[in-house]
Amino acid sequence: MIATTPNTVRFGLKLVAYPIQFVAFWLAVALPFLYLPLLHGGLRGGQATVFGSLLAVNVAALVIGHGHSSDETENR
């Protein structure tokens, strides 16, 4: 059995979490631009569902990607 140290586990978690946090951060930045075409003509029919789903994904991306830039500055 291979023994792992806490530092190895922490490094592994950072290795996995960083790309996810990076994508979530930039997704949270880019998604609001998709609101504009939906809101321009008013929400009709199924567009309200699309808008609500887009808003929920944006909130999730904000929560997941929240610490992205702070982690980068700590490592410098």
Side-chain angles (χ1 to χ4, degrees):
M1 187 167 164
I2 299 173
T4 58
T5 64
N7 286 338
T8 305
V9 173
R10 198 173 301 123
F11 177 74
L13 287 174
K14 278 187 177 182
L15 196 63
V16 171
Y18 181 79
I20 294 169
Q21 202 172 29
F22 174 82
V23 170
F25 175 82
W26 287 108
L27 192 61
V29 170
L31 279 176
F33 290 106
L34 297 178
Y35 298 161
L36 298 176
L38 284 172
L39 295 175
H40 177 64
L43 298 175
R44 284 176 250 137
Q47 288 180 336
T49 304
V50 172
F51 180 76
S53 300
L54 188 61
L55 189 61
V57 169
N58 198 183
V59 168
L62 280 168
V63 170
I64 294 169
H66 174 71
H68 169 64
S69 61
S70 66
D71 285 344
E72 189 175 318
T73 56
E74 288 176 8
N75 292 331
R76 288 185 183 180

